[in-house]
Amino acid sequence: MPTDLLGRDYETFPALEPLQTHGPARIIAMCNQKGGVGKTTSSINIAGALSQYGRRVLIVDFDPQGAATVGLGINANTVEDTVYTALFNPRMDVHDVIRHTDFENLDIMPANIDLSAAEVQLVTEVGREQVLAGVLRQVKDEYDVIIVDCQPSLGLLTVNALTAADGVIIPVAAEFFALRGVALLMQSIEKVQSRINPSLEVYGVLVTMFTHTLHCDEVLQRIYEAFQGKVFHSVISRSIKLPDSTVAAAPITIYAPNHKTAKEYREVARELIAQGIVA
């Protein structure tokens, strides 16, 4: 039986057959208030891997920087209708906001700098924490997975994502600075659980940007001590191929399918399926 980098035994996760029917979607918030830990990269590549396994996937770009939008080949500056439009125009059909990508089974709800105004506007909205949940309710039955790529903050946009989500994946870079803010994030998750969304789960911690150094090994051990069984068996290596795939506007699982990092993201996708997080 193979072991992961923490020495835990696990069976290789099987790749399941494509689904014959789709929906309702499991909504996953990709969340960490620290920037540069691989949230958008992981959102795109987990989505890409799941789509290749026949799952219908929607990425909701919930970051005003629009990185997920650009990372899938859409010019964020020229998009008229974005997730911002869907949030604040109740007459907007969400289907008019969603864009098909060049990749089968993979759609995106784009974002651009307009979304930066949402934090202020949400303050005066009725049910301000549940606006995104209302938007996603319209299309939940059409997808198997909806991944919300959150911005690096713990503001109202992130609270909306946590309220709409069934669970959270926390990407954590294998460096000590990345560990410091996770406690604050867990406090925010617990507040949303206790006050708004009691069914919210932490699906797991995904270690990213890993290299085989003593520093990374120590960080990995610290993450395991903090989260125990919530740490994914799959660990994402630091790789130049990831920015290359971003420039190519494609998930690495499609851009360089035989690369080590592509295999790691496919392993994450299979682990999500094996654990029953994704159908």
PDB file of all heavy atoms in Angstrom, residues 5 27 29 40 57 60 77 87 106 116 121 124-126 132 137 142 166 168 178 187-188 213-214 249-250 257:
ATOM      1  N   LEU A   5       3.335  11.751   1.880  1.00  0.00           N
ATOM      2  CA  LEU A   5       4.549  12.384   2.405  1.00  0.00           C
ATOM      3  C   LEU A   5       4.570  12.440   3.921  1.00  0.00           C
ATOM      4  O   LEU A   5       5.619  12.706   4.523  1.00  0.00           O
ATOM      5  CB  LEU A   5       4.690  13.794   1.824  1.00  0.00           C
ATOM      6  CG  LEU A   5       5.022  13.850   0.327  1.00  0.00           C
ATOM      7  CD1 LEU A   5       4.978  15.292  -0.177  1.00  0.00           C
ATOM      8  CD2 LEU A   5       6.383  13.239   0.051  1.00  0.00           C
ATOM      9  N   ILE A  27     -21.106  22.669  -3.552  1.00  0.00           N
ATOM     10  CA  ILE A  27     -20.468  23.989  -3.647  1.00  0.00           C
ATOM     11  C   ILE A  27     -19.263  24.021  -2.709  1.00  0.00           C
ATOM     12  O   ILE A  27     -19.390  23.784  -1.506  1.00  0.00           O
ATOM     13  CB  ILE A  27     -21.459  25.113  -3.300  1.00  0.00           C
ATOM     14  CG1 ILE A  27     -22.657  25.076  -4.256  1.00  0.00           C
ATOM     15  CG2 ILE A  27     -20.767  26.483  -3.379  1.00  0.00           C
ATOM     16  CD1 ILE A  27     -23.749  26.079  -3.921  1.00  0.00           C
ATOM     17  N   ALA A  29     -15.951  26.279  -1.417  1.00  0.00           N
ATOM     18  CA  ALA A  29     -15.242  27.561  -1.344  1.00  0.00           C
ATOM     19  C   ALA A  29     -13.753  27.287  -1.227  1.00  0.00           C
ATOM     20  O   ALA A  29     -13.314  26.567  -0.325  1.00  0.00           O
ATOM     21  CB  ALA A  29     -15.731  28.372  -0.147  1.00  0.00           C
ATOM     22  N   THR A  40      -6.329  30.292  -6.676  1.00  0.00           N
ATOM     23  CA  THR A  40      -6.825  30.326  -8.053  1.00  0.00           C
ATOM     24  C   THR A  40      -6.236  29.185  -8.868  1.00  0.00           C
ATOM     25  O   THR A  40      -6.953  28.522  -9.630  1.00  0.00           O
ATOM     26  CB  THR A  40      -6.479  31.680  -8.702  1.00  0.00           C
ATOM     27  OG1 THR A  40      -7.103  32.722  -7.955  1.00  0.00           O
ATOM     28  CG2 THR A  40      -6.964  31.726 -10.138  1.00  0.00           C
ATOM     29  N   VAL A  57     -18.484  21.249 -14.172  1.00  0.00           N
ATOM     30  CA  VAL A  57     -17.900  22.121 -13.159  1.00  0.00           C
ATOM     31  C   VAL A  57     -18.121  23.588 -13.531  1.00  0.00           C
ATOM     32  O   VAL A  57     -17.936  23.985 -14.685  1.00  0.00           O
ATOM     33  CB  VAL A  57     -16.379  21.857 -13.008  1.00  0.00           C
ATOM     34  CG1 VAL A  57     -15.820  22.655 -11.844  1.00  0.00           C
ATOM     35  CG2 VAL A  57     -16.098  20.366 -12.817  1.00  0.00           C
ATOM     36  N   VAL A  60     -16.733  29.946  -9.950  1.00  0.00           N
ATOM     37  CA  VAL A  60     -17.213  31.294  -9.678  1.00  0.00           C
ATOM     38  C   VAL A  60     -16.006  32.127  -9.275  1.00  0.00           C
ATOM     39  O   VAL A  60     -15.412  31.902  -8.213  1.00  0.00           O
ATOM     40  CB  VAL A  60     -18.276  31.309  -8.559  1.00  0.00           C
ATOM     41  CG1 VAL A  60     -18.729  32.742  -8.282  1.00  0.00           C
ATOM     42  CG2 VAL A  60     -19.473  30.443  -8.946  1.00  0.00           C
ATOM     43  N   ASN A  77     -11.470  42.460 -18.699  1.00  0.00           N
ATOM     44  CA  ASN A  77     -11.773  43.878 -18.904  1.00  0.00           C
ATOM     45  C   ASN A  77     -12.860  44.128 -19.941  1.00  0.00           C
ATOM     46  O   ASN A  77     -13.442  45.209 -19.984  1.00  0.00           O
ATOM     47  CB  ASN A  77     -10.498  44.617 -19.320  1.00  0.00           C
ATOM     48  CG  ASN A  77      -9.445  44.600 -18.233  1.00  0.00           C
ATOM     49  OD1 ASN A  77      -9.763  44.688 -17.055  1.00  0.00           O
ATOM     50  ND2 ASN A  77      -8.183  44.458 -18.628  1.00  0.00           N
ATOM     51  N   LEU A  87     -24.952  39.556  -8.709  1.00  0.00           N
ATOM     52  CA  LEU A  87     -25.198  39.824  -7.290  1.00  0.00           C
ATOM     53  C   LEU A  87     -26.215  40.947  -7.078  1.00  0.00           C
ATOM     54  O   LEU A  87     -27.049  40.871  -6.169  1.00  0.00           O
ATOM     55  CB  LEU A  87     -23.888  40.202  -6.589  1.00  0.00           C
ATOM     56  CG  LEU A  87     -22.844  39.108  -6.366  1.00  0.00           C
ATOM     57  CD1 LEU A  87     -21.561  39.710  -5.801  1.00  0.00           C
ATOM     58  CD2 LEU A  87     -23.367  38.013  -5.456  1.00  0.00           C
ATOM     59  N   LEU A 106     -16.478  22.532 -18.467  1.00  0.00           N
ATOM     60  CA  LEU A 106     -15.920  23.549 -17.568  1.00  0.00           C
ATOM     61  C   LEU A 106     -16.423  24.941 -17.953  1.00  0.00           C
ATOM     62  O   LEU A 106     -16.120  25.438 -19.040  1.00  0.00           O
ATOM     63  CB  LEU A 106     -14.386  23.503 -17.611  1.00  0.00           C
ATOM     64  CG  LEU A 106     -13.627  24.498 -16.723  1.00  0.00           C
ATOM     65  CD1 LEU A 106     -14.074  24.393 -15.274  1.00  0.00           C
ATOM     66  CD2 LEU A 106     -12.121  24.267 -16.834  1.00  0.00           C
ATOM     67  N   SER A 116     -14.856  44.842  -6.837  1.00  0.00           N
ATOM     68  CA  SER A 116     -14.273  45.512  -5.669  1.00  0.00           C
ATOM     69  C   SER A 116     -15.281  46.432  -4.992  1.00  0.00           C
ATOM     70  O   SER A 116     -15.152  46.735  -3.799  1.00  0.00           O
ATOM     71  CB  SER A 116     -13.020  46.294  -6.073  1.00  0.00           C
ATOM     72  OG  SER A 116     -13.341  47.275  -7.037  1.00  0.00           O
ATOM     73  N   GLN A 121     -21.235  47.767  -1.186  1.00  0.00           N
ATOM     74  CA  GLN A 121     -22.659  47.697  -1.509  1.00  0.00           C
ATOM     75  C   GLN A 121     -23.394  46.632  -0.702  1.00  0.00           C
ATOM     76  O   GLN A 121     -24.555  46.798  -0.362  1.00  0.00           O
ATOM     77  CB  GLN A 121     -22.839  47.428  -3.008  1.00  0.00           C
ATOM     78  CG  GLN A 121     -22.498  48.632  -3.873  1.00  0.00           C
ATOM     79  CD  GLN A 121     -22.706  48.339  -5.340  1.00  0.00           C
ATOM     80  OE1 GLN A 121     -21.749  48.231  -6.101  1.00  0.00           O
ATOM     81  NE2 GLN A 121     -23.941  48.199  -5.747  1.00  0.00           N
ATOM     82  N   THR A 124     -25.398  47.348   2.778  1.00  0.00           N
ATOM     83  CA  THR A 124     -26.775  47.852   2.869  1.00  0.00           C
ATOM     84  C   THR A 124     -27.804  46.871   2.309  1.00  0.00           C
ATOM     85  O   THR A 124     -28.998  47.173   2.282  1.00  0.00           O
ATOM     86  CB  THR A 124     -26.895  49.180   2.096  1.00  0.00           C
ATOM     87  OG1 THR A 124     -26.529  48.974   0.724  1.00  0.00           O
ATOM     88  CG2 THR A 124     -25.982  50.237   2.709  1.00  0.00           C
ATOM     89  N   GLU A 125     -27.366  45.694   1.848  1.00  0.00           N
ATOM     90  CA  GLU A 125     -28.291  44.722   1.263  1.00  0.00           C
ATOM     91  C   GLU A 125     -29.038  43.950   2.351  1.00  0.00           C
ATOM     92  O   GLU A 125     -28.476  43.625   3.404  1.00  0.00           O
ATOM     93  CB  GLU A 125     -27.524  43.719   0.392  1.00  0.00           C
ATOM     94  CG  GLU A 125     -27.025  44.279  -0.919  1.00  0.00           C
ATOM     95  CD  GLU A 125     -28.145  44.504  -1.922  1.00  0.00           C
ATOM     96  OE1 GLU A 125     -29.019  43.636  -2.072  1.00  0.00           O
ATOM     97  OE2 GLU A 125     -28.134  45.580  -2.570  1.00  0.00           O
ATOM     98  N   VAL A 126     -30.294  43.649   2.082  1.00  0.00           N
ATOM     99  CA  VAL A 126     -31.058  42.766   2.965  1.00  0.00           C
ATOM    100  C   VAL A 126     -30.530  41.342   2.787  1.00  0.00           C
ATOM    101  O   VAL A 126     -30.368  40.868   1.663  1.00  0.00           O
ATOM    102  CB  VAL A 126     -32.563  42.822   2.618  1.00  0.00           C
ATOM    103  CG1 VAL A 126     -33.334  41.816   3.470  1.00  0.00           C
ATOM    104  CG2 VAL A 126     -33.101  44.224   2.812  1.00  0.00           C
ATOM    105  N   LEU A 132     -24.892  35.641  -2.644  1.00  0.00           N
ATOM    106  CA  LEU A 132     -24.296  34.675  -3.568  1.00  0.00           C
ATOM    107  C   LEU A 132     -25.061  33.354  -3.553  1.00  0.00           C
ATOM    108  O   LEU A 132     -25.256  32.731  -4.600  1.00  0.00           O
ATOM    109  CB  LEU A 132     -22.831  34.434  -3.216  1.00  0.00           C
ATOM    110  CG  LEU A 132     -22.105  33.413  -4.115  1.00  0.00           C
ATOM    111  CD1 LEU A 132     -22.050  33.895  -5.560  1.00  0.00           C
ATOM    112  CD2 LEU A 132     -20.700  33.121  -3.595  1.00  0.00           C
ATOM    113  N   ARG A 137     -28.186  29.302  -6.424  1.00  0.00           N
ATOM    114  CA  ARG A 137     -29.366  28.425  -6.355  1.00  0.00           C
ATOM    115  C   ARG A 137     -30.004  28.240  -7.732  1.00  0.00           C
ATOM    116  O   ARG A 137     -30.596  27.203  -8.020  1.00  0.00           O
ATOM    117  CB  ARG A 137     -30.369  29.020  -5.365  1.00  0.00           C
ATOM    118  CG  ARG A 137     -31.351  28.016  -4.777  1.00  0.00           C
ATOM    119  CD  ARG A 137     -32.192  28.666  -3.690  1.00  0.00           C
ATOM    120  NE  ARG A 137     -31.383  29.065  -2.543  1.00  0.00           N
ATOM    121  CZ  ARG A 137     -31.340  30.290  -2.037  1.00  0.00           C
ATOM    122  NH1 ARG A 137     -32.059  31.263  -2.578  1.00  0.00           N
ATOM    123  NH2 ARG A 137     -30.586  30.561  -0.998  1.00  0.00           N
ATOM    124  N   GLU A 142     -27.598  22.177 -12.338  1.00  0.00           N
ATOM    125  CA  GLU A 142     -27.037  21.939 -13.669  1.00  0.00           C
ATOM    126  C   GLU A 142     -25.572  21.493 -13.621  1.00  0.00           C
ATOM    127  O   GLU A 142     -25.009  21.138 -14.656  1.00  0.00           O
ATOM    128  CB  GLU A 142     -27.157  23.211 -14.510  1.00  0.00           C
ATOM    129  CG  GLU A 142     -28.608  23.664 -14.690  1.00  0.00           C
ATOM    130  CD  GLU A 142     -28.701  25.051 -15.293  1.00  0.00           C
ATOM    131  OE1 GLU A 142     -27.777  25.452 -16.038  1.00  0.00           O
ATOM    132  OE2 GLU A 142     -29.702  25.744 -15.008  1.00  0.00           O
ATOM    133  N   ASP A 166     -21.104  24.309   0.660  1.00  0.00           N
ATOM    134  CA  ASP A 166     -21.278  23.095   1.469  1.00  0.00           C
ATOM    135  C   ASP A 166     -20.019  22.814   2.268  1.00  0.00           C
ATOM    136  O   ASP A 166     -20.079  22.236   3.350  1.00  0.00           O
ATOM    137  CB  ASP A 166     -21.586  21.899   0.563  1.00  0.00           C
ATOM    138  CG  ASP A 166     -22.888  22.076  -0.206  1.00  0.00           C
ATOM    139  OD1 ASP A 166     -23.947  22.187   0.440  1.00  0.00           O
ATOM    140  OD2 ASP A 166     -22.839  22.128  -1.452  1.00  0.00           O
ATOM    141  N   VAL A 168     -15.371  23.784   2.592  1.00  0.00           N
ATOM    142  CA  VAL A 168     -14.222  24.651   2.304  1.00  0.00           C
ATOM    143  C   VAL A 168     -12.991  23.789   2.055  1.00  0.00           C
ATOM    144  O   VAL A 168     -12.734  22.824   2.779  1.00  0.00           O
ATOM    145  CB  VAL A 168     -13.923  25.594   3.498  1.00  0.00           C
ATOM    146  CG1 VAL A 168     -12.839  26.603   3.125  1.00  0.00           C
ATOM    147  CG2 VAL A 168     -15.175  26.284   3.971  1.00  0.00           C
ATOM    148  N   ALA A 178       2.665  31.154   5.695  1.00  0.00           N
ATOM    149  CA  ALA A 178       1.333  30.766   5.236  1.00  0.00           C
ATOM    150  C   ALA A 178       0.504  30.156   6.365  1.00  0.00           C
ATOM    151  O   ALA A 178      -0.725  30.165   6.316  1.00  0.00           O
ATOM    152  CB  ALA A 178       1.447  29.780   4.075  1.00  0.00           C
ATOM    153  N   GLN A 187     -11.452  30.677  12.613  1.00  0.00           N
ATOM    154  CA  GLN A 187     -12.401  31.417  13.450  1.00  0.00           C
ATOM    155  C   GLN A 187     -13.555  31.947  12.617  1.00  0.00           C
ATOM    156  O   GLN A 187     -14.727  31.882  13.043  1.00  0.00           O
ATOM    157  CB  GLN A 187     -11.683  32.577  14.142  1.00  0.00           C
ATOM    158  CG  GLN A 187     -10.718  32.150  15.228  1.00  0.00           C
ATOM    159  CD  GLN A 187      -9.937  33.331  15.799  1.00  0.00           C
ATOM    160  OE1 GLN A 187     -10.281  34.494  15.587  1.00  0.00           O
ATOM    161  NE2 GLN A 187      -8.864  33.026  16.524  1.00  0.00           N
ATOM    162  N   SER A 188     -13.264  32.457  11.417  1.00  0.00           N
ATOM    163  CA  SER A 188     -14.321  32.957  10.542  1.00  0.00           C
ATOM    164  C   SER A 188     -15.244  31.830  10.102  1.00  0.00           C
ATOM    165  O   SER A 188     -16.467  31.985  10.065  1.00  0.00           O
ATOM    166  CB  SER A 188     -13.711  33.637   9.310  1.00  0.00           C
ATOM    167  OG  SER A 188     -12.975  34.769   9.687  1.00  0.00           O
ATOM    168  N   THR A 213      12.471  19.988   0.900  1.00  0.00           N
ATOM    169  CA  THR A 213      13.464  20.637   1.751  1.00  0.00           C
ATOM    170  C   THR A 213      13.074  20.413   3.204  1.00  0.00           C
ATOM    171  O   THR A 213      11.917  20.079   3.504  1.00  0.00           O
ATOM    172  CB  THR A 213      13.529  22.153   1.481  1.00  0.00           C
ATOM    173  OG1 THR A 213      12.250  22.729   1.823  1.00  0.00           O
ATOM    174  CG2 THR A 213      13.835  22.445   0.019  1.00  0.00           C
ATOM    175  N   LEU A 214      14.019  20.620   4.088  1.00  0.00           N
ATOM    176  CA  LEU A 214      13.745  20.457   5.515  1.00  0.00           C
ATOM    177  C   LEU A 214      12.653  21.422   5.955  1.00  0.00           C
ATOM    178  O   LEU A 214      11.767  21.072   6.749  1.00  0.00           O
ATOM    179  CB  LEU A 214      15.034  20.685   6.316  1.00  0.00           C
ATOM    180  CG  LEU A 214      14.917  20.520   7.839  1.00  0.00           C
ATOM    181  CD1 LEU A 214      14.469  19.104   8.191  1.00  0.00           C
ATOM    182  CD2 LEU A 214      16.265  20.841   8.503  1.00  0.00           C
ATOM    183  N   ALA A 249      -3.493  29.828 -20.613  1.00  0.00           N
ATOM    184  CA  ALA A 249      -4.928  29.897 -20.288  1.00  0.00           C
ATOM    185  C   ALA A 249      -5.580  28.527 -20.352  1.00  0.00           C
ATOM    186  O   ALA A 249      -6.646  28.340 -20.955  1.00  0.00           O
ATOM    187  CB  ALA A 249      -5.642  30.884 -21.212  1.00  0.00           C
ATOM    188  N   ALA A 250      -4.934  27.553 -19.690  1.00  0.00           N
ATOM    189  CA  ALA A 250      -5.472  26.189 -19.662  1.00  0.00           C
ATOM    190  C   ALA A 250      -5.090  25.524 -18.349  1.00  0.00           C
ATOM    191  O   ALA A 250      -4.017  25.786 -17.801  1.00  0.00           O
ATOM    192  CB  ALA A 250      -4.923  25.377 -20.823  1.00  0.00           C
ATOM    193  N   PRO A 257      -0.518  17.243 -19.581  1.00  0.00           N
ATOM    194  CA  PRO A 257      -1.195  16.172 -18.827  1.00  0.00           C
ATOM    195  C   PRO A 257      -0.265  15.147 -18.192  1.00  0.00           C
ATOM    196  O   PRO A 257      -0.652  14.501 -17.212  1.00  0.00           O
ATOM    197  CB  PRO A 257      -2.096  15.509 -19.890  1.00  0.00           C
ATOM    198  CG  PRO A 257      -1.509  15.915 -21.209  1.00  0.00           C
ATOM    199  CD  PRO A 257      -0.909  17.265 -20.996  1.00  0.00           C
TER     200      PRO A 257
END
